[in-house]
Structure formats: C-alpha cells, structure tokens
Amino acid sequence: MNFQENEPLFSSKVFLYLSRILVLFTFSIIFKSFDHTFVNDLRVMDLRGWVFSLFYVAFGLLVWEGAVWLTRMIERRIGGVAASRRLAVLCCALILYGMVAAFGFGFLYAVSDIVLFHRYEAWQSFKALSYDLNFGIFMFYLLILTFNGIIYYYSAWKEYQVQAERLMRENIQARYDALRNQIDPHFFFNSLSVLTNLVYKSPDLSADYITQLAKTYRYILDKKFENLVTVQTELDFLESYLFLMHIRHQQSIQFEIEVEEKIRSKGMIPPVSLQLLIENAIKHNRFSANDPLVISVRNEDGCLVVSNPVRRKTGAELSSGIGLENIQKRYALISDRGIEIQQSDEMFIVKIPIITVT
C-alpha cells in the first residue's frame, strides 16, 4: 500500500477514531488479567466481559479527547516557553490527568459491576486502593495519554517548524526583492540623463549608447528574479556598463579587470553588485582626463576585490542609500559571509565573497 496515495484516509477522523477504538479494546482485554474475577471465572469474553470492554472503550475515548484538549490548552498557555520545559510540563500534566482518569474509571467500573452484575470484588479493590485494579488502570491510561500527548506535541512542533521556516523564507525573499527593485529606477534614470545630452552631439554614438543601454537594462530585467549569477555573466554585463561610463566620462575613468577563468565560470555573486561598487567609486571620487580614476577588479582569497584610490570630492554628494548598503543587505540574506570594506586615506577597497553552489 502506498502511504502517500492513501494519506487522506489515514489522516481522516474516521480512521483516527477506529484506531483509538482498536487500541482501547485491545487494552481492555489485557486489563482483564488484572481483575481476578475474570481470570478465575474463565469468562473473559462473556456478557460481563463484553460490557466491561465497551465501557472501557467509551470511557477511554472521552479520556483521550480530554487529553487532546489538555495538551492544546497547555500549548496555548506556555507556547513561548522553551521546548524542553513545555514537554516536561506536558508530561507532568498528563500523568496527573491519567491518575484522575484511572481513579474515575475504577469508581465507575466498581459501581456499574454492582448495579449490573451484583459483583462486589471491584468495589472492594477500589476501596482498598488495590494494586491490581488501580495500578493496572493507571498504567494503561498513562500509556495512552503520554503517547497521545507526545505525538500531538511532536506534530505541533513539526508544523510550527515548517510554518516558521516558510515565513522566514518568504520574509527573506520579500526583503531581497525590495533591495533588487531599488536598482532599476536608479540606474535607468542616470543613464537617460546622459543620453539626452548625447543625442544632440553625436547621433551615431548615441545609437551605440542606446544599444549598450538596452543590453544593460535587459540584463537587469532578466536577472531580476535570480539571487545569484556567475561571475562571467556579471562581467559580461559590466562590459556594457563600462562602455556607458566611457561615453559619459571619456578617459577620466580607467578600469582594470583581472579575474581567473575558473572564478569566472564557477563563482557566483548577486547580480549587479559589481556595477553598484563601480558606480559608488565614480560617485564619491573626483577625476579628470589628466588625472583619471583607476578602478580595479580582481579575485583574491575567495573574494572579488574592487579597489580605487581615494580622491574625495570637495562637496559632499547626497547618498541615495543604494550601493554598499544594498550589497551588504543582499549578502546578509543569502549567505553567512558578508562583504568587507577597507578604507584608508589612500585606498578604498571592497571585498565581496564569491559563492560556490554545489
């Protein structure tokens, strides 16, 4: 039998109660060995034996439902407590509940035996707190209740774990999507402002600019729903972006890219991260054709290292909050390794981890 195909049957209430009835009926037969009136008379399954079993099953179902209710109530009351402490409280509560249930069953069984069959043996055992009667009842009910409580607790705990993990993933993905969406308007509008001036100066160059701009923006759209891309894919995108920067700044900015082939093909990084780092360097440093800004990209010790000399602008430029902070947050959401920033009076260096996916 395939369990997955029949899972609705196994999880149905009908199957649940039938299995409980079977367990309780089995326990009722075993329990009769504790009552010597059944054993001595050798009439375990006569009318009195059947009545006892039916009574045991009915009372056991009520006790079982009470255990479920008790377990849920305890879980609601102390849901914020540590799991080990909740389990200890649950077990203690079910033991006390089992003692009360055993005492109640012993009393009702003794009374019903007198009323229906005029037998006083059970009553005498009950009054004397007989080991055979009371301990036997308690042990069987305790087994049922403890098993039920632990199974319920484990099922609820597993369900909580699944829900917590799902909510955490949804929250992480939502935050990551929000960070990625910041890139689109920021990059696009900066590029359009350059294109507006270029159209009037050089129509041919503006056509090339539009082509490269289309490539870069297509890359952003295509990779919008990807958390990671290969280093080579990012460098291909960076080539189009650097063309736009050369058009905008001429020879005022120079780029040096030295990344090993193995890193290019096997390593992965968040999309548009290199572009944001280069844009950050251009934004916060001064440069000219006579004194160009040299931006270097290389791999070192499992990281991509983007560095540039520090040439602070005289007037502080308003930060958009996109750039280093964006990359830091994205790495925090997808990896246990964060970016490393090293800043001195001469150099500004950012190291972003290269992620390998097995």
Side-chain angles (χ1 to χ4, degrees), residues 165-176 333:
E165 184 177 355
R166 177 179 58 81
L167 291 174
M168 182 180 68
R169 288 182 177 179
E170 290 178 355
N171 182 47
I172 289 175
Q173 190 62 45
R175 291 163 60 190
Y176 192 88
L333 294 174

Side-chain angles (χ1 to χ4, degrees), residues 298-316:
R298 68 184 189 279
N299 64 281
E300 178 183 293
D301 298 330
C303 294
L304 285 182
V305 182
V306 180
S307 61
N308 61 269
V310 176
R311 299 172 180 176
R312 294 184 179 87
K313 293 182 178 180
T314 54

